[in-house]
Amino acid sequence: MGKSTIGNSDFNREMKGLVIPSVLQMLVANSFSLVNMLMVTNLGDGAVAVTAAAGRISFILSMILTAVYGMTSYITQYHGKHQLTLVRATFGFMLLTGIGISLLSFVVVSIWKEPILSLFIKDVELLPLGIQYVSIMVFVFLISAVRDAYAQALGSLGKVKITLYVGLCAMMINIILDYGLIYGRLGLPNLGVVGAAWGTLIATGTSLLFLIVFIYIKSYYLNIRIQELFSLPMILRKQVVKTITPLVFHEGMWSIGNMLYAVAFGSLSIAALTTFQLANTLQGYFMMGIHGFAYAAKVMIGQKLGQDNQEQAMDYARRYTRISVIAGIIVSVVMMMGSPFVAFIFPNLSTEVHASLGNILLLQGMVMTALFLNNVWIVGMFRAGGDNLFTMIMILMTTWGIALPAVFVGTYVFRLPMEWVYALFLCEEMSKAFIGYRRYRSQKWMRNLVGNHSETPTSA
C-alpha cells in the first residue's frame, strides 16, 4: 500500500475536524426531506407521490448545480497555496454561474411544469396538486442556488460549522411550519401537502438570510464585493469551465437518468413510485457518514495536490478507501437487520408500500459497500484532481449503457415486480465500483489544477 508520510494522529485529527461537522450538516440537510416525507405520509400514498415527483425535478437542478460547484476543486487548491484573492475570484464566478442556471431552471419549470409532472404522475386527480406544489418549489430553486454556493465554497475551505448552525435553525423552522401548515395547527391554515412546500420555501429563505448576514457582518472569507463576481481572469475562467464542463454533463446525464428511473417506477404503480422515493430518502441517511468522509477526502487530498505532494495525496486516498470498506460493511449489516422493521416508521402507508420498502432496503444493504466506495472515489478523490472527463464517461457507461436500459426492459417489456426492477437499478452502482476501482489504482486522477496560476486576478 505504500509507506505513510504523516502520523495517524495528525491525519485523524484533521479528518475528524472535517468529517464530524460535515456529517452533522448532512443530517440537517437530509432532515428537510425526511421531515416533509414523515408528515406528508399521514396524507396517504398520493401525497407522497406528489412530493416524489417534485423531488425528481429538484434533484436534477441540484445535480447540475453540484457540477457547477465542482469549481470548489480550484478553491480548495488555491486555498492550499494561500492564494486567497483567487479563492474569492473563483467563488464569484461560481456564484454568478449558479444563479444563471437556477434562473433558467425557474423559467423552464414554471412554463412546462404540467407536462414535466405528467411524466411521473399518471393519476389525473393528483396532477393539479403536483402543479400547486411545484409552483411554490421553483422559488426554492433560486434561493438554494445562492445559499448552496456559499455553503459549498465554505466547505471547500474546511469551514462548515457556520453552515451547520444555519442549517439547524432552518430545520427547526421547517419542522414547525410543516406541522402548522400541513395539518392546520399553531393557528396556521390547513394547506395539506402544499403546506410542506411553503414550509420549505420559508425555511430555505431564512437560512440564506442568516448565512449572508453572518458572512458580511463578520467579514468571513467569502464576503465578496460585486466587482469580484467578474474578477477571475478570462484565461482562468476558460480553464475552470473546461474542467467542470464534463462534470456538468456527468451530473446532468446522471440526474436525468435518475428522473427516468422514477418514470419507470411510476409506470409500475403509485405505490412503486412512493417506495422508490422513500427508499432514496432513507438511503440518504445511511449515506451521511460516507458523504462526510468524501468531503474530508476532497479537501485534504485537493490541498495536497495543489501543493504538488502526490505521495501524500495517494496515502490519504488509500486511508479513505479502507475507511469506506469498513464503514460500508457495518452499515450494510445495520440496514439488512433493520429492513423488517421499516413499516413502523411510516404506519399510515399502504401494506404494498410497507412490504416493498422492507425488501428494497435489504437490497440496498447488499450493495452499500459499493455505494460508499463510489462516493469516496468519485466525489472525494477524482473531483479533487479535476478528473471529470473520466467520471462523465463512466456515468454514460454505467447509467445509460447498463442500468437504465435494464430497468426499462424489466419494467416495460417483462413487467417485473418492483423488487426485481430495483435490483436492475442497483447494477449501476456495482458496475461503477468496478470501473472506479481501476481508476483509483491507476492514479491518473491525481492532478495539480493550479500549479502555475499567479494571484493577480483582473476583470476580463
Side-chain angles (χ1 to χ4, degrees):
M1 280 273 190
K3 187 176 179 180
S4 173
T5 57
I6 188 172
N8 283 327
S9 60
D10 293 334
F11 174 85
N12 291 338
R13 187 184 311 112
E14 186 174 0
M15 180 184 69
K16 288 177 182 176
L18 293 169
V19 169
I20 293 174
S22 177
V23 170
L24 292 174
Q25 185 183 350
M26 286 295 299
L27 174 65
V28 170
N30 283 334
S31 293
F32 271 87
S33 58
L34 183 64
V35 166
N36 284 349
M37 197 63 63
L38 285 172
M39 294 194 183
V40 167
T41 52
N42 291 324
L43 304 177
D45 292 5
V48 176
V50 166
T51 60
R56 291 298 93 192
I57 300 171
S58 300
F59 180 76
I60 292 174
L61 175 61
S62 68
M63 288 299 98
I64 294 173
L65 287 175
T66 297
V68 173
Y69 303 149
M71 296 184 199
T72 56
S73 298
Y74 283 87
I75 293 175
T76 299
Q77 292 197 18
Y78 284 136
H79 188 245
K81 293 183 69 177
H82 306 291
Q83 294 180 316
L84 300 184
T85 304
L86 285 174
V87 165
R88 293 167 65 90
T90 305
F91 169 67
F93 184 49
M94 184 178 85
L95 178 60
L96 199 62
T97 306
I99 291 172
I101 290 174
S102 65
L103 282 170
L104 178 61
S105 302
F106 176 89
V107 172
V108 170
V109 176
S110 295
I111 294 174
W112 290 293
K113 52 181 171 286
E114 183 172 350
I116 292 172
L117 282 170
S118 64
L119 293 172
F120 308 98
I121 302 174
K122 305 304 179 183
D123 188 335
V124 293
E125 294 181 1
L126 289 177
L127 193 57
L129 188 60
I131 292 172
Q132 281 184 276
Y133 190 91
V134 170
S135 297
I136 299 165
M137 290 299 294
V138 289
F139 292 96
V140 178
F141 297 169
L142 297 175
I143 299 170
S144 295
V146 179
R147 181 200 61 189
D148 292 347
Y150 277 96
Q152 290 281 341
L154 287 171
S156 71
L157 302 176
K159 310 298 178 183
V160 294
K161 288 184 179 179
I162 176 57
T163 54
L164 170 60
Y165 298 147
V166 167
L168 283 170
C169 293
M171 183 180 70
M172 295 306 299
I173 293 170
N174 191 45
I175 290 172
I176 293 169
L177 290 175
D178 272 4
Y179 177 71
L181 292 170
I182 292 174
Y183 305 120
R185 307 288 173 80
L186 307 176
L188 297 172
N190 185 341
L191 301 179
V193 68
V194 176
W198 278 111
T200 301
L201 175 61
I202 296 169
T204 305
T206 303
S207 66
L208 172 61
L209 180 62
F210 286 169
L211 189 60
I212 293 294
V213 168
F214 176 86
I215 287 172
Y216 282 88
I217 287 180
K218 297 289 186 180
S219 298
Y220 193 73
Y221 290 98
L222 301 175
N223 58 328
I224 61 171
R225 301 179 299 276
I226 294 295
Q227 58 266 37
E228 288 181 284
L229 292 171
F230 311 95
S231 65
L232 192 67
M234 182 59 71
I235 188 171
L236 296 187
R237 289 186 209 175
K238 291 179 179 178
Q239 181 175 334
V240 168
V241 169
K242 182 180 178 181
T243 301
I244 71 162
T245 296
L247 185 56
V248 171
F249 280 101
H250 167 147
E251 297 292 2
M253 296 302 291
W254 185 68
S255 59
I256 292 171
N258 271 267
M259 181 188 73
L260 293 176
Y261 288 136
V263 170
F265 284 106
S267 73
L268 291 174
S269 66
I270 288 295
L273 178 59
T274 300
T275 303
F276 181 68
Q277 178 63 22
L278 290 172
N280 286 340
T281 300
L282 291 172
Q283 180 181 288
Y285 265 81
F286 285 109
M287 292 289 291
M288 282 189 303
I290 207 61
H291 282 310
F293 285 112
Y295 157 71
K298 183 180 177 183
V299 172
M300 294 173 66
I301 292 171
Q303 289 181 351
K304 294 304 176 185
L305 291 175
Q307 296 165 4
D308 255 342
N309 190 346
Q310 293 204 346
E311 182 182 359
Q312 191 70 75
M314 192 61 197
D315 176 59
Y316 284 178
R318 294 189 183 103
R319 292 176 188 239
Y320 277 109
T321 298
R322 288 195 292 267
I323 290 169
S324 301
V325 172
I326 295 169
I329 292 172
I330 293 171
V331 172
S332 293
V333 172
V334 172
M335 286 188 73
M336 288 189 285
M337 290 178 64
S339 61
F341 307 104
V342 71
F344 296 108
I345 304 176
F346 309 105
N348 296 308
L349 294 177
S350 65
T351 54
E352 184 182 356
V353 172
H354 284 161
S356 297
L357 188 57
N359 294 332
I360 295 306
L361 289 180
L362 187 63
L363 290 171
Q364 284 182 346
M366 293 178 181
V367 301
M368 192 53 62
T369 301
L371 278 162
F372 275 32
L373 285 169
N374 290 338
N375 203 271
V376 164
W377 286 337
I378 295 171
V379 178
M381 300 178 195
F382 301 166
R383 287 187 189 173
D387 195 25
N388 299 325
L389 179 60
F390 173 80
T391 61
M392 181 192 73
I393 294 170
M394 180 169 64
I395 287 298
L396 289 174
M397 291 172 61
T398 57
T399 301
W400 289 85
I402 298 174
L404 200 56
V407 165
F408 269 73
V409 169
T411 300
Y412 292 101
V413 178
F414 295 108
R415 300 301 296 181
L416 295 174
M418 197 267 181
E419 290 85 350
W420 285 98
V421 175
Y422 199 86
L424 295 173
F425 163 70
L426 292 175
C427 290
E428 176 185 325
E429 296 299 333
M430 298 304 296
S431 56
K432 201 184 295 180
F434 175 78
I435 298 170
Y437 175 72
R438 293 174 63 86
R439 188 65 171 184
Y440 154 72
R441 288 295 300 272
S442 75
Q443 302 186 22
K444 293 178 180 178
W445 52 272
M446 294 197 301
R447 291 184 293 165
N448 182 346
L449 301 173
V450 300
N452 300 315
H453 296 183
S454 62
E455 191 168 20
T456 55
T458 57
S459 60

